[in-house]
């Protein structure tokens, strides 16, 4: 399918039942954020929510991109923010060219391993 002249809108709503990869002595749990990619290119990142295995994003969670030919999958990776190197809490993909045009679609996607992510997506022709 030809995606030129298309616009993809994405809202990251929440993640749930995330893995805890922090071992903090103070009872810390993971500090999640989401990276969005299309065709290997990073198109956005949500803010980090500290110490929460069931985060909900209220701001900094809406993204708009114009996919090019060859782009067909939105990749979402939930990461754990650390002082050193961040680690992954899970990832999911969504084939967006299969979406109906001009309507928001609510999706719950398993993160592969543990947890899920909820998003809303919309594909429009420009």
């Amino acid at each position: 399918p030809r995606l030129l002249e298309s616009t993809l809108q994405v809202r990251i709503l929440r993640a749930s039942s995330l893995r805890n990869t922090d071992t903090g002595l103070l009872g810390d749990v993971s500090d999640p954020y989401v990276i969005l990619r299309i065709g290997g290119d990073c198109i956005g990142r949500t803010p980090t929510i500290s110490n929460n295995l069931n985060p909900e994003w209220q701001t900094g969670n809406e993204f708009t991109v114009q996919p090019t030919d060859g782009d067909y999958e939105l990749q979402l990776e939930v990461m754990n923010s650390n002082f050193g190197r961040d680690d992954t809490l899970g990832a999911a993909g969504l084939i967006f060219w299969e979406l109906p045009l001009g309507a928001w679609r609510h999706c719950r996607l398993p993160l592969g391993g543990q947890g899920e992510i909820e998003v809303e997506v919309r594909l429009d022709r420009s």
Side-chain angles (χ1 to χ4, degrees), residues 57-125:
W57 286 271
Q58 305 291 328
T59 60
N61 64 331
E62 296 190 22
F63 306 90
T64 300
V65 65
Q66 273 135 3
T68 59
D69 276 357
D71 294 338
Y72 61 91
E73 183 178 26
L74 171 68
Q75 297 139 3
L76 305 164
E77 185 170 15
V78 182
M79 299 293 293
N80 176 35
S81 179
N82 291 307
F83 289 112
R85 185 174 160 193
D86 295 355
D87 53 324
T88 186
L89 298 176
L94 177 69
I95 308 296
F96 57 80
W97 58 260
E98 296 177 343
L99 296 171
L101 290 174
W104 284 98
R105 175 125 182 235
H106 183 266
C107 303
R108 294 179 116 175
L109 306 168
L111 288 172
Q114 181 176 331
E116 67 179 15
I117 187 165
E118 285 186 57
V119 299
E120 291 178 336
V121 292
R122 178 180 174 135
L123 184 65
D124 288 296
R125 296 273 187 245

Side-chain angles (χ1 to χ4, degrees), residues 26-59:
L26 303 175
D28 291 345
V29 296
S30 295
D31 307 306
Y33 65 92
V34 180
I35 294 177
L36 296 84
R37 292 185 186 93
I38 291 180
D41 295 327
C42 180
I43 61 163
R45 179 193 192 278
T46 65
T48 298
I49 297 181
S50 297
N51 293 318
N52 197 328
L53 299 179
N54 298 289
E56 292 191 27
W57 286 271
Q58 305 291 328
T59 60

